């Protein structure tokens, strides 16, 4: 259920069709289907390009038509092999740049590595690295959907259009969930509360937040900068230096803030990948009296055996804006 916003379509249509080229960055079914639909909507032919893997797993891209002086749109969806997907995009962008394309616009519904957008212990901000690589390769504009954090837009030095899937998910709730007026919008962790509040306000529904042991893995507990220094390291700095002892953080017992008893629970988030937190939230909501549980998200990555785990869980239905 990926839809191109009418404003974006209108902007694209302002470009002379003779100067527009539309490429699919790989041949997987989701990418080809999205590219075909966009091409049909615009009334243009798909650009001719060949993308394949060498025997040594190197990616090779061959543009098979002239893009000189043209506006190139590259459609790329993220497959299970994320790193290959990224290389396909970067090589195709660079190939268009060196072929003197006027502009190169990337259409990437799900921005990979978007969860790695904050410093964790001695890690790195990988989404910043990826943004720099895309800009360096020659991308001049990015169109994406529901970035994990809006601040990711600041990692780019090119225009970024961060489209929203919420209007379509809201429409789905109103049209496809019977008695949705008896529902409550649920945030599976405090980090998701802002998104849940937005849905609840638009649907005129109540909100509930799950807090406690099922917290999101992105909490401050995993950030090494919040760890208190050991006494040995303090003494090494200066014998007379006194630093107040910091009380270690502890997760409180799991709590549902809000009434879900006898209600339909609709869990909203941006990404469904590792489903453990969703399964734990569903079990908690069932225990608190919710009689039906829906999960709504923009990006359905569903890695590993996530589909089977969902089938065996207390979740009644999962609806996503796009798969894979």
């Amino acid at each position: 259920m990926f839809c191109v916003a009418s404003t974006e379509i209108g902007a694209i249509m302002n470009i002379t069709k003779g100067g527009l080229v539309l490429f699919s960055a790989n041949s997987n079914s989701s990418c080809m289907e999205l590219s075909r639909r966009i091409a049909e909507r615009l009334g243009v032919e798909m650009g001719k390009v060949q993308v394949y893997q060498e025997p040594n797993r190197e990616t090779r891209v061959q543009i098979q038509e002239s893009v000189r002086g043209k506006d190139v749109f590259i459609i790329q969806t993220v497959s299970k092999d994320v790193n290959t997907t990224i290389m396909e995009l970067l090589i195709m962008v660079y190939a268009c740049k060196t072929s003197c394309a006027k502009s190169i616009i990337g259409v990437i519904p799900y921005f990979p590595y978007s969860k790695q957008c904050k410093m964790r212990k001695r890690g790195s901000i990988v989404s910043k690295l990826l943004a720099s690589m895309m800009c360096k390769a020659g991308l001049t504009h990015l169109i994406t959907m529901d970035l994990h954090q809006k601040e990711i837009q600041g990692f780019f030095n090119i225009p970024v259009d961060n489209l929203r899937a919420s209007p379509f998910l809201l429409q789905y709730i109103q049209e496809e969930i019977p008695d949705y007026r008896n529902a409550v919008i649920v945030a599976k962790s405090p980090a998701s509360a802002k998104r849940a509040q937005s849905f609840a306000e638009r649907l005129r529904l109540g909100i509930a937040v799950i807090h406690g042991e099922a917290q999101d893995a992105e909490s401050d507990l995993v950030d090494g900068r919040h760890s208190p220094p050991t006494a040995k390291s303090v003494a090494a700095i200066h014998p007379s230096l006194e630093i107040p002892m910091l009380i270690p953080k502890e997760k409180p017992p799991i709590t549902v803030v809000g009434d879900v008893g006898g209600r339909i629970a609709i869990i909203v988030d941006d990404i469904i990948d590792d489903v453990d937190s969703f399964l734990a939230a569903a079990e908690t909501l069932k225990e608190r009296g919710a009689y039906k549980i829906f999960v709504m998200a923009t990006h359905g990555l569903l890695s590993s055996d996530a589909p089977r785990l969902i089938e065996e869980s207390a979740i009644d239905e999962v609806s996503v804006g796009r798969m894979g």
Side-chain angles (χ1 to χ4, degrees):
M1 190 184 74
F2 179 82
C3 299
V4 180
S6 59
T7 54
E8 294 301 326
I9 290 292
I12 294 172
M13 291 298 289
N14 286 334
I15 300 173
T16 305
K17 289 184 180 179
L20 183 153
V21 181
L22 183 67
F23 288 130
S24 174
N26 63 51
S27 58
N28 71 57
S29 58
S30 64
C31 190
M32 290 299 294
E33 176 66 13
L34 177 59
S35 302
R36 183 186 61 79
R37 291 190 179 189
I38 293 176
E40 288 179 357
R41 182 72 178 271
L42 295 174
V44 299
E45 295 291 332
M46 290 289 299
K48 297 180 178 63
V49 63
Q50 189 176 14
V51 182
Y52 60 94
Q53 303 293 318
E54 298 279 12
N56 63 357
R57 302 299 298 165
E58 289 184 359
T59 299
R60 185 174 291 272
V61 174
Q62 293 182 343
I63 308 294
Q64 298 179 322
E65 63 180 89
S66 175
V67 297
R68 181 179 295 274
K70 295 184 179 181
D71 298 289
V72 177
F73 289 80
I74 300 175
I75 317 298
Q76 178 67 303
T77 60
V78 178
S79 65
K80 298 298 182 183
D81 189 351
V82 178
N83 295 327
T84 297
T85 298
I86 292 169
M87 287 307 300
E88 289 172 343
L89 176 67
L90 293 175
I91 295 172
M92 185 173 290
V93 169
Y94 189 65
C96 292
K97 176 184 177 182
T98 55
S99 298
C100 301
K102 178 183 176 182
S103 63
I104 306 168
I105 300 94
V107 181
I108 311 169
Y110 170 67
F111 186 73
Y113 286 95
S114 60
K115 285 189 174 183
Q116 298 188 48
C117 61
K118 296 180 180 179
M119 180 64 72
R120 301 296 177 194
K121 293 187 177 178
R122 294 175 179 84
S124 59
I125 305 175
V126 183
S127 55
K128 166 63 175 173
L129 170 64
L130 184 54
S132 300
M133 291 167 65
M134 289 182 178
C135 295
K136 186 67 174 178
L139 203 67
T140 60
H141 192 149
L142 175 67
I143 300 174
T144 187
M145 178 166 276
D146 278 346
L147 289 168
H148 186 57
Q149 297 288 341
K150 293 181 180 179
E151 291 78 7
I152 292 175
Q153 295 177 80
F155 296 160
F156 291 85
N157 56 15
I158 59 174
V160 176
D161 283 316
N162 182 28
L163 308 183
R164 296 185 302 164
S166 57
F168 305 104
L169 296 175
L170 291 168
Q171 182 181 5
Y172 182 88
I173 292 172
Q174 293 172 317
E175 296 179 356
E176 302 296 332
I177 299 181
D179 196 24
Y180 82 92
R181 289 293 182 187
N182 188 38
V184 58
I185 304 299
V186 179
K188 67 179 178 65
S189 71
S192 305
K194 189 174 181 180
R195 183 182 302 273
Q197 180 182 1
S198 176
F199 273 69
E201 289 175 351
R202 285 168 171 76
L203 292 168
R204 307 294 192 269
L205 299 177
I207 183 174
V209 180
I210 298 176
H211 182 272
E213 293 179 357
Q215 285 185 31
D216 195 291
E218 294 186 24
S219 68
D220 287 341
L221 289 171
V222 299
D223 193 331
R225 293 171 297 176
H226 292 264
S227 302
T230 62
K232 184 182 292 186
S233 63
V234 171
I237 297 172
H238 197 280
S240 63
L241 182 63
E242 295 184 4
I243 296 180
M245 292 297 296
L246 298 180
I247 301 174
K249 294 182 180 180
E250 293 184 4
K251 294 180 180 178
I254 194 163
T255 305
V256 179
V257 181
D259 182 20
V260 298
R263 312 283 288 276
I264 299 171
I266 304 175
I267 304 173
V268 297
D269 212 336
D270 61 328
I271 301 171
I272 304 178
D273 189 4
D274 179 9
V275 297
D276 289 346
S277 59
F278 290 93
L279 304 185
E283 289 294 336
T284 300
L285 293 170
K286 280 289 187 183
E287 292 172 2
R288 299 301 194 277
Y291 71 89
K292 203 163 187 179
I293 298 172
F294 292 80
V295 175
M296 302 280 172
T298 304
H299 307 292
L301 305 185
L302 301 176
S303 300
S304 189
D305 56 351
R308 178 184 62 80
L309 294 174
I310 291 173
E311 286 287 345
E312 298 172 355
S313 73
I315 297 172
D316 294 286
E317 182 179 318
V318 175
S319 298
V320 296
R322 59 168 297 277
M323 292 289 294

